[in-house]
Amino acid sequence: MRLCMCITRDTGTAPHAQPSVRSSGSRGAKAPHVRSRSEINGAYQKQRAPVPDERVPWSVAWPAYAPIEFTHESVAKQPVWADPVDASRIAGLRDRLSYESSPLTLAPNGRPLNPFGRTGTTGRGLLGKWGPNHAADPIVLRARPDGVFEMVAIKRRDTGQWAIPGGMVDAGEVVSVTLRREFTEEAGALDDPREQAALSSALDVLFGSGGSSVYCGYVDDPRNTDNAWMETAVHAFLLPADLSAKLPLQSGSDAADVRWLPLDEQLLGGDASALYADHLRFVMLALRQVGGERVRSPSAENART
Ligand code: BGC
C-alpha cells in the first residue's frame, strides 16, 4: 500500500494536508476488478466478452482476445461532458491527470489502456472521457449514542445499490467544490427555503473543514472499459452531534432515495456488493481514520487493502 496526496485536477496541488491512501485498487485482490468485467449495469448487458481472472493483466499475452466495442449512444453523440469519438485526435491525452498511471499508456490506435487490465469491452461504454473519469466522494459520518457510526447514503438509480453521495468532477472544478456540490445535489435537494438555508449553513461548517482525505485512485466500477475508467478522491467528514440534528436529507434527481445508513456489523461484515462499486472499502478506510472501526469480521478484513 502506498501513500499519496490527492491532487486536484486543475492545479495539481494538494488541497488537504493529510496523506490519503492511494490503494492498489483491485490490483492486489484475488480476483482483479470483478465489477469492471460484470454486466451489473443494465446498459452493459451482452456488451462484455468474458475475461478469466488470469487473463486480466495486459502483461499476459492473449492474441485471441476479442472484446466487444461499446460506446453508449448518449456518449457517442458527444454531449459537453464527453470527448470526441476519435481518441487519437485528442491533444495531450497521454498527459491527462490520473492517480494511477502517469503518463497514460496508449494502445497503437491512440486509446488509453485501463491500468488494471482487460474488461471485455472496448470504447467508453457510459463514460464520457477516454482514460480516467474523475469523481469525488464525500463520506459524511455521525456517531450514534451506542457507538455505531452512520453514513449519509443514496440509493443509485442505475444499479439500485446504496452508495456514497458522490459524483463527477466538472471540468476545471476542484475536488473540494465537487464534494459539497454533489452532496447537496444528491442528498440535500430541499424545497423549503428555510430548511435549505439551515442545510447550507450546516454544510458551510462541515465542508469548510475539508474533511480528511482517505483515498484517491482507481474504482472498480461496472462502467469501466479497456479504454475508459473511474478514479475518485474520497474524503470523510465527521458530523458533531449538534450539527447532525440540523442536517435534513432529501434525495435529488440522480438518487432514488437518501438515508442515514448504519455502518453496523451486518453491513460491514457482509457482502461487498451491499454498497456500489468499491464504496464498502472506502467506508472501511474512512472509519479507520475517524476511529470508528469497531467491527472486525473476516469478510470486513477482505474488503480492505
Ligand atoms: C459516483 C461516485 C463513484 C464513482 C466511481 C460516480 O458516478 O457518483 O460515487 O465513486 O462513480 O464508481
Side-chain angles (χ1 to χ4, degrees), residues 22-253:
R22 181 185 178 280
S23 114
S24 56
S26 324
R27 203 175 264 151
K30 280 185 204 124
H33 70 179
V34 280
R35 296 178 200 97
S36 305
R37 290 180 282 149
S38 79
E39 296 180 7
I40 310 168
N41 184 307
Y44 287 67
Q45 295 279 315
K46 300 197 169 58
Q47 304 292 354
R48 292 201 188 273
V51 179
D53 293 350
E54 65 281 7
R55 290 193 154 157
V56 167
W58 296 112
S59 55
V60 174
W62 187 9
Y65 177 49
I68 297 172
E69 174 72 13
F70 169 52
T71 295
H72 194 270
E73 57 184 6
S74 62
V75 174
K77 64 184 179 204
Q78 215 186 313
V80 283
W81 46 267
D83 278 339
V85 171
D86 187 353
S88 68
R89 288 166 171 255
I90 302 174
L93 180 58
R94 187 189 296 270
D95 297 318
R96 276 192 175 168
L97 172 74
S98 168
Y99 297 133
E100 299 290 350
S101 137
S102 196
L104 302 178
T105 304
L106 301 186
N109 62 8
R111 293 175 171 189
L113 282 180
N114 185 317
F116 284 80
R118 299 180 176 97
T119 66
T121 304
T122 48
R124 283 171 291 165
L126 279 168
L127 299 178
K129 307 279 184 216
W130 293 105
N133 288 254
H134 286 269
D137 282 301
I139 300 184
V140 175
L141 299 164
R142 71 177 180 189
R144 285 194 329 211
D146 64 1
V148 169
F149 278 75
E150 294 183 321
M151 163 186 106
V152 175
I154 53 131
K155 190 163 219 177
R156 288 182 65 104
R157 289 190 191 276
D158 55 358
T159 63
Q161 289 166 296
W162 288 100
I164 304 164
M168 308 302 288
V169 179
D170 286 343
E173 191 175 51
V174 290
V175 164
S176 54
V177 171
T178 313
L179 291 166
R180 181 182 173 145
R181 180 179 57 71
E182 284 294 340
F183 183 88
T184 313
E185 284 174 14
E186 303 219 9
L190 301 163
D191 296 327
D192 179 48
R194 279 189 23 212
E195 281 199 325
Q196 229 175 47
L199 176 69
S200 180
S201 51
L203 296 184
D204 284 345
V205 179
L206 185 64
F207 287 98
S209 69
S212 68
S213 171
V214 291
Y215 174 87
C216 54
Y218 186 75
V219 187
D220 181 15
D221 184 289
R223 294 166 295 181
N224 291 348
T225 72
D226 287 3
N227 311 118
W229 60 91
M230 289 301 312
E231 297 187 8
T232 193
V234 184
H235 291 242
F237 300 85
L238 182 57
L239 264 179
D242 58 325
L243 210 55
S244 97
K246 291 185 204 148
L247 203 67
L249 300 174
Q250 175 68 52
S251 54
S253 55

Side-chain angles (χ1 to χ4, degrees), residues 5-17 97 99 174-176:
M5 306 300 290
C6 280
I7 47 180
T8 56
R9 304 198 67 193
D10 43 352
T11 61
T13 56
H16 306 299
L97 172 74
Y99 297 133
V174 290
V175 164
S176 54

